[in-house]
Amino acid sequence: MTKDPYKIIKKLPSAQGDLNYWSLKELQKQGHNINKLPFSIRVLLENTLRNFDDFAITKENIETLLNWKPEPSEKDIPYKPARVLMQDFTGVPAVVDIASLRSEAVRKGKNPEKINPLIPVDLVVDHSVQVDYFGTNYSYKKNVDVEYKRNGERYEFLKWAQKSFNNFSVVPPGMGICHQVNLEYLAQGVIARDGNAFPDTLVGTDSHTPMVNGIGVVGWGVGGIEAEAAILGQPIYFIMPEVVGLRLTGTLPMGTTATDMVLTITELLRRQSVVGKFVEVFGPGLDGLSVPDRATISNMSPEFGCTVTYFPIDDRTLDYMGRTNRAPEQIKLVEDYAKANMLWRENEDDINYSSVVELDLGTVEPTVSGPKRPQDKILLKEFKEKFGSLLKEVHGREYIPIEKREVGRWLDEGGGNQPVESGKQQLDRDLEIETKVKNGLKTVGVKLNNEEFALYDGSIVIAAITSCTNTSNPSVMIGAGLIARKARERGIDVKPWVKTSLAPGSKVVTDYLHNAGLLEDLEALRFHVVGYGCTSCIGNSGPLPSHIAKAVEENDLIVASVLSGNRNFEARVHPQVKMNYLMSPMLVVAFALAGRVDVDLNNEPLGYDPNLEPVYLKDLWPTNDEIFEVAKRVLSPGDYKKSYGEIFKGNEQWSQLKAPEDKVYQWSDKSTYIKEAPFFNGISEQVHEANEISNARVLLKLGDSITTDHISPAGSFSPKSPAGKYLLDKGVEQVMFNSYGSRRGNDEVMVRGTFANVRIKNQLTNQEGGYTTHMPSGEEMTVFDASRKYIEDNVPLLVLAGKEYGSGSSRDWAAKGTTLLGIKGVIAESYERIHRSNLVGMGVLPMQYAAGQTAASLGLTGKEQISIEGIKDGLKPLKVLKAKAISDDGSEINFEVVARLDSLIEIEYYKNGGILHYVLRQFLKA
């Protein structure tokens, strides 16, 4: 029976007949100041009103939202999303977990088919394609062939899930990136279901889920663990958010792009500390931003640190829905519902925000970001100078202008016919590499067959047009194509050492580039389509060409990548590339032409035409009118209809995959991809009391900004790593290792990959990478091997960390791997929202130093034995616990930590050993 404690259910006429809706306007009439609430809070309020059951969602929850104030609150609120979005890296382990719950249900004598998604789930396979082949018209086909060869078992498992589970759909490989598919097709704005109309809301198992905020849909990234709970009917609880208003004024200047705008906003909002908050965009500057521009901003919410970056529904929203082939009756429903229920963008000045940040879009300048954090903004005009200072500060090398380098005379931007002199290293019959050093800066001459060039620190070896952030925006994609066209007309080409790739977020992009004749221009510069997926943005750059890889590896070159992505953390894009810069697709093409990042594109040529005339960026940069004219001519709802009309069909390889028919998955001991999750096997039906943490050892002592990529890398791994050794022992050849991300369905691989990032710096050892010092033996070994010794000796483990622990992607294995290593708690200065929640969701206790305290200020070395008291009795949200660290000499350090269990339900999850343990026990009781 529908509960309506405020008597506000009204009828909304629609093409489907009259629909019930929970009227915020009626609440306004009752004296509640709904008009002063941010739009995003209004959506959350409607969510609690509609899902009110006086059990999981109470009247107190509703009152908490009704009385939202701009000031911080410690009250938690529930959220039940209408649907869940997944990508395959995080989706496969989620499906493994649900399948494992079914297996345990069978062992407990229960009906496994009762365990099913209760809300729609769309899983888009987009994270597995890798750029093994590039620069040719066969690249796409061969990359897809390799993708299926590597991932066939995973894909068969997903087809099984699609057949076995209710409410579960799979978008096959090669169709697009999940967030672009969501923006262009899956998102409805308003949902009509079971006779009710309500806002489209979701959570996604990828941190860039907020991209859909750009079309007026509230949604954000969560760990796979939280998503699984939502799928199984559990509300997601979180602290009532502050809402920061981002007021935009002005318009973007000529020559700037939406990418420049979002990188500017990233740096601005990071500085304002919006971690864990909502951001809502308003102001006159919003009128001139298209939905793709808005979505570009929302996409990078995780890089700002906020939960959502919300754009209310307005005429621009409806216009975009029409352009992307949404049904007219659906667009009418969105408009009618938003206007009837106070969710239409109007009366912005009435709204009270927690704080307001202002940006005049007219001040935005061409921008890049890097070399290892998205918020590290660099103005294009200062890029060359900044590169030189970074080279010295980070890598200890003096920068030498290119004209003064050892072999600058054979350059012409890196090529020429410099003879290879004595001292050359003959690597094989066709490849020669010569190294010269001047003031610490290396020049490496490479000769392969009849081609010669020089590589330096700062040479670009990867140029990738990739990621949903930018490939969803036709203006920058068409702009990149126009730069390629003008470069062809001037007779200049991409440098031979640059690995180029084009990975659109949907097939619509390929269609409009083809219709404009721009795909041919991009291909002429070797920007061929390599796949429809995240590629370099997720770390699937594929190997560098062997001669480039050898030159880089053997000479320790500090080479660079340029990509139109949203992430550039250490070792993410490629383990051999130490500098990674985010930029627009247009600048990616320009820098690929230049071949290096130490170039002032405003004043120095990209290259020289056949007549030795210099070609500058300004000669190639298209005007806004040129871009608009092409867009007007080639963008069509018909392209969206064609691409999304066959979105679930897949290619021939997908249709030929055979999936099991059983309702309970039959696990195979031979599989190295899919293995039953170990978390639920033999679970007790009763909850054991939480225990104190006694005499724990520190497995890792880490600094600031440790990302989930550091904790659980997604990319490739070495045969010498614990994960590599495991697969070799299982008979898997190195060429078939695939990536960590693709093997998240196998806990044996993933636990060995936890804290195994080659760039992680554990202060307990001098070695970079996944190493630690075992105590008290003092022996240095891998993190995995040390954890096995500690577990064997029944020694609990801790991690000590600095600020922003767990920033980056929503990665459930960063928490799952942590618990499987035997880590009972983490003590950090601060946490990124999703990872803290994931730790709780896996029964690991996140703790926070008292304000102003750090490991360093307390004198903690990480070699102590640490005990935590106050866990067993009287746990409450944000309880202060007593910690004691005892050194080998017997000296003690006593300090306090805050248990970051932020709500009562999180305490229950923690006591149960995790959120899914809680859900399973509830099922077993029922």
Side-chain angles (χ1 to χ4, degrees):
M1 177 181 174
T2 301
K3 294 187 177 182
D4 182 19
Y6 295 87
K7 308 302 180 191
I8 59 169
I9 294 179
K10 297 295 177 185
K11 296 289 186 182
L12 181 73
S14 77
Q16 301 180 31
D18 287 350
L19 298 170
N20 293 326
Y21 75 102
W22 280 252
S23 174
L24 302 182
K25 194 172 287 185
E26 286 298 311
L27 284 173
Q28 179 82 14
K29 290 177 183 178
Q30 293 175 16
H32 299 285
N33 293 323
I34 307 300
N35 62 313
K36 294 188 178 299
L37 297 178
F39 288 104
S40 50
I41 296 298
R42 298 179 202 183
V43 174
L44 295 180
L45 174 59
E46 188 281 339
N47 193 279
T48 57
L49 288 164
R50 178 169 37 86
N51 290 296
F52 169 72
D53 58 8
D54 210 19
F55 175 66
I57 297 177
T58 65
K59 196 166 182 180
E60 182 184 355
N61 298 140
I62 297 172
E63 294 290 335
T64 297
L65 281 159
L66 268 175
N67 296 304
W68 180 89
K69 296 288 189 295
E71 296 76 30
S73 169
E74 292 186 358
K75 291 190 174 182
D76 60 292
I77 54 174
Y79 170 65
K80 294 192 80 169
R83 57 191 179 92
V84 171
L85 177 71
M86 292 183 166
Q87 38 90 338
D88 56 303
F89 268 20
T90 50
V92 167
V95 175
V96 166
D97 284 346
I98 296 173
S100 299
L101 290 174
R102 279 192 171 186
S103 295
E104 183 63 14
V106 170
R107 287 190 287 267
K108 290 286 195 290
K110 303 289 185 178
N111 180 3
E113 293 185 49
K114 295 282 188 182
I115 296 178
N116 255 311
L118 299 178
I119 55 176
V121 180
D122 293 293
L123 188 151
V124 182
V125 181
D126 63 1
H127 271 50
S128 295
V129 64
Q130 181 170 296
V131 188
D132 291 289
Y133 296 90
F134 73 101
T136 59
N137 59 6
Y138 59 75
S139 299
Y140 171 69
K141 183 181 184 305
K142 288 206 169 189
N143 285 331
V144 170
D145 289 344
V146 174
E147 177 186 2
Y148 272 90
K149 185 176 181 181
R150 288 185 180 128
N151 297 286
E153 185 181 345
R154 296 170 65 237
Y155 295 168
E156 286 175 353
F157 179 64
L158 291 178
K159 286 194 80 170
W160 166 81
Q162 189 169 23
K163 289 181 178 180
S164 179
F165 294 151
N166 300 332
N167 291 319
F168 188 84
S169 299
V170 177
V171 175
M175 305 309 290
I177 299 174
C178 65
H179 306 304
Q180 191 161 340
V181 172
N182 194 22
L183 184 75
E184 295 177 350
Y185 177 68
L186 295 174
Q188 296 301 303
V190 172
I191 290 174
R193 185 186 298 165
D194 299 328
N196 300 320
F198 50 90
D200 184 4
T201 56
L202 73 151
V203 292
T205 60
D206 188 278
S207 54
H208 293 100
T209 300
M211 183 174 186
V212 78
N213 301 162
I215 199 174
V217 172
V218 168
W220 61 85
V222 296
I225 303 156
E226 279 184 298
E228 292 163 42
I231 288 168
L232 296 173
Q234 289 293 304
I236 293 172
Y237 293 88
F238 62 106
I239 293 284
M240 173 109 90
E242 295 177 58
V243 182
V244 176
L246 175 60
R247 185 174 187 271
L248 301 181
T249 59
T251 57
L252 288 173
M254 292 287 289
T256 59
T257 66
T259 315
D260 301 322
M261 173 179 62
V262 73
L263 295 179
T264 300
I265 291 172
T266 301
E267 190 263 348
L268 173 67
L269 291 183
R270 263 290 168 184
R271 207 164 3 100
Q272 295 292 327
S273 187
V274 297
V275 174
K277 301 174 184 178
F278 280 20
V279 170
E280 191 164 290
V281 189
F282 71 106
L286 196 49
D287 297 333
L289 295 182
S290 66
V291 165
D293 290 341
R294 298 174 183 188
T296 300
I297 297 171
S298 294
N299 179 278
M300 291 192 72
S301 296
E303 284 66 48
F304 315 156
C306 64
T307 306
V308 302
T309 305
Y310 187 68
F311 291 81
I313 295 168
D314 62 6
D315 286 323
R316 286 277 190 167
T317 314
L318 304 182
D319 177 67
Y320 178 79
M321 287 185 158
R323 291 174 183 271
T324 50
N325 197 48
R326 264 70 171 205
E329 55 270 23
Q330 179 63 31
I331 299 171
K332 182 74 164 55
L333 175 62
V334 172
E335 180 177 10
D336 290 348
Y337 178 87
K339 288 180 175 177
N341 213 20
M342 300 183 72
L343 294 175
W344 184 261
R345 183 183 158 229
E346 59 186 357
N347 303 319
E348 295 174 317
D349 293 339
D350 292 345
I351 296 173
N352 291 329
Y353 291 110
S354 302
S355 61
V356 173
V357 179
E358 299 211 21
L359 175 65
D360 177 359
L361 295 177
T363 64
V364 172
E365 299 183 56
T367 298
V368 303
S369 183
K372 59 182 180 179
R373 296 194 309 176
Q375 64 263 40
D376 294 333
K377 168 188 164 185
I378 305 171
L379 294 179
L380 183 63
K381 64 186 181 184
E382 299 171 355
F383 192 11
K384 180 178 180 179
E385 180 183 351
K386 185 67 175 176
F387 169 79
S389 62
L390 285 169
L391 193 65
K392 183 173 183 179
E393 291 167 14
V394 180
H395 301 287
R397 299 183 186 179
E398 292 288 340
Y399 177 72
I400 303 171
I402 200 156
E403 63 274 8
K404 296 182 179 179
R405 294 178 192 170
E406 188 67 26
V407 291
R409 62 190 178 85
W410 55 292
L411 231 185
D412 185 24
E413 301 301 306
N417 296 303
Q418 172 74 4
V420 179
E421 301 169 359
S422 60
K424 68 189 178 187
Q425 183 181 9
Q426 185 81 30
L427 295 177
D428 56 40
R429 189 180 64 185
D430 300 315
L431 175 63
E432 298 174 357
I433 293 178
E434 174 196 20
T435 306
K436 294 187 177 182
V437 181
K438 184 174 182 179
N439 294 337
L441 192 142
K442 294 182 178 181
T443 298
V444 180
V446 179
K447 180 180 180 181
L448 180 64
N449 299 324
N450 295 318
E451 186 172 58
E452 296 181 68
F453 52 82
L455 294 176
Y456 307 97
D457 293 335
S459 291
I460 294 168
V461 295
I462 292 174
I465 300 175
T466 180
S467 171
C468 48
T469 311
N470 287 290
T471 67
S472 61
N473 196 329
S475 65
V476 291
M477 295 300 289
I478 290 170
L482 288 171
I483 287 179
R485 173 171 293 175
K486 294 184 180 190
R488 288 183 73 192
E489 292 170 351
R490 288 298 304 268
I492 63 172
D493 200 355
V494 167
K495 296 300 183 283
W497 56 87
V498 182
K499 181 175 183 177
T500 49
S501 61
L502 170 60
S506 77
K507 291 192 171 183
V508 173
V509 179
T510 315
D511 289 340
Y512 68 66
L513 288 175
H514 174 77
N515 293 339
L518 296 174
L519 190 61
E520 179 184 343
D521 295 308
L522 286 162
E523 289 175 345
L525 299 188
R526 302 201 307 278
F527 281 98
H528 293 77
V529 172
V530 295
Y532 295 89
C534 302
T535 61
S536 290
C537 194
I538 187 59
N540 287 352
S541 299
L544 296 177
S546 58
H547 58 298
I548 304 295
K550 284 185 179 180
V552 172
E553 187 71 25
E554 295 181 1
N555 294 280
D556 192 26
L557 284 174
I558 310 299
V559 292
S561 75
V562 293
L563 66 153
S564 62
N566 47 45
R567 290 278 163 83
N568 56 348
F569 301 134
E570 289 181 296
R572 180 184 178 99
V573 174
H574 192 285
Q576 290 182 294
V577 181
K578 295 181 179 179
M579 287 185 158
N580 304 283
Y581 293 97
L582 308 180
M583 59 187 65
S584 71
M586 299 161 75
L587 285 178
V588 169
V589 176
F591 274 102
L593 292 165
R596 56 193 176 95
V597 294
D598 59 322
V599 57
D600 178 359
L601 291 189
N602 290 335
N603 299 296
E604 297 177 29
L606 298 169
Y608 294 85
D609 70 16
N611 299 304
L612 300 184
E613 293 289 333
V615 179
Y616 294 89
L617 181 63
K618 63 185 178 184
D619 300 326
L620 307 184
W621 198 266
T623 66
N624 290 358
D625 287 344
E626 287 178 283
I627 294 172
F628 177 77
E629 187 279 325
V630 174
K632 185 178 178 181
R633 177 166 50 89
V634 301
L635 292 179
S636 164
D639 289 336
Y640 293 89
K641 181 178 180 180
K642 170 175 166 284
S643 290
Y644 289 111
E646 53 189 25
I647 187 71
F648 295 107
K649 183 179 178 182
N651 61 13
E652 185 179 353
Q653 287 151 299
W654 178 261
S655 62
Q656 289 177 352
L657 287 175
K658 294 181 180 179
E661 301 288 340
D662 311 81
K663 292 297 183 182
V664 177
Y665 191 72
Q666 302 303 308
W667 310 100
S668 169
D669 291 337
K670 296 179 180 179
S671 175
T672 57
Y673 274 107
I674 305 298
K675 185 174 176 288
E676 183 177 358
F679 311 113
F680 320 114
N681 200 329
I683 189 173
S684 65
E685 296 192 31
Q686 300 301 317
V687 182
H688 300 297
E689 281 298 317
N691 292 318
E692 315 285 32
I693 298 174
S694 301
N695 300 318
R697 286 291 185 179
V698 176
L699 188 60
L700 298 104
K701 183 171 182 282
L702 305 166
D704 296 338
S705 299
I706 295 298
T707 70
T708 50
D709 280 282
H710 287 117
I711 303 168
S712 182
S716 58
F717 49 93
S718 162
K720 297 179 181 179
S721 68
K725 291 176 181 177
Y726 168 81
L727 288 178
L728 290 174
D729 288 345
K730 291 287 185 178
V732 180
E733 298 178 5
Q734 183 183 350
V735 70
M736 295 303 291
F737 276 7
N738 212 333
S739 63
Y740 281 122
S742 67
R743 290 191 178 270
R744 288 180 183 162
N746 185 322
D747 62 278
E748 295 284 5
V749 173
M750 297 309 298
V751 68
R752 288 166 170 79
T754 305
F755 295 109
N757 185 301
V758 296
R759 296 282 176 259
I760 197 169
K761 298 174 180 66
N762 183 5
Q763 296 170 20
L764 297 182
T765 178
N766 292 322
Q767 294 190 68
E768 188 177 51
Y771 295 92
T772 192
T773 298
H774 176 266
M775 297 298 293
S777 70
E779 184 182 352
E780 287 196 353
M781 60 186 70
T782 67
V783 167
F784 174 75
D785 288 340
S787 76
R788 299 306 94 177
K789 282 181 173 287
Y790 285 126
I791 289 173
E792 190 176 312
D793 295 335
N794 294 313
V795 176
L797 297 173
L798 295 172
V799 171
L800 304 182
K803 300 180 183 68
E804 298 178 354
Y805 183 71
S807 56
S809 302
S810 60
R811 194 157 291 174
D812 56 338
W813 264 107
K816 289 177 176 176
T818 295
T819 194
L820 289 178
L821 286 174
I823 295 167
K824 303 303 180 185
V826 178
I827 307 176
E829 293 173 49
S830 65
Y831 292 87
E832 201 78 353
R833 174 185 61 84
I834 297 175
H835 186 59
R836 185 206 63 81
S837 177
N838 278 347
L839 289 173
V840 177
M842 285 310 302
V844 177
L845 181 61
M847 294 167 281
Q848 196 160 318
Y849 294 107
Q853 290 189 343
T854 66
S857 71
L858 291 167
L860 297 174
T861 65
K863 296 183 179 180
E864 303 88 354
Q865 286 183 293
I866 299 177
S867 296
I868 311 291
E869 295 180 355
I871 300 171
K872 189 172 183 179
D873 299 313
L875 257 186
K876 62 181 181 180
L878 303 174
K879 183 181 180 183
V880 176
L881 308 175
K882 301 289 185 183
K884 179 169 66 176
I886 302 176
S887 301
D888 289 342
D889 62 7
S891 60
E892 291 186 12
I893 300 172
N894 292 283
F895 58 102
E896 293 183 339
V897 294
V898 177
R900 285 298 311 276
L901 302 173
D902 292 357
S903 64
L904 291 173
I905 193 67
E906 284 195 341
I907 292 172
E908 289 305 310
Y909 294 157
Y910 174 67
K911 286 180 175 178
N912 273 270
I915 191 169
L916 293 181
H917 304 71
Y918 174 85
V919 172
L920 180 56
R921 285 192 175 103
Q922 297 299 309
F923 171 76
L924 294 175
K925 286 178 184 176

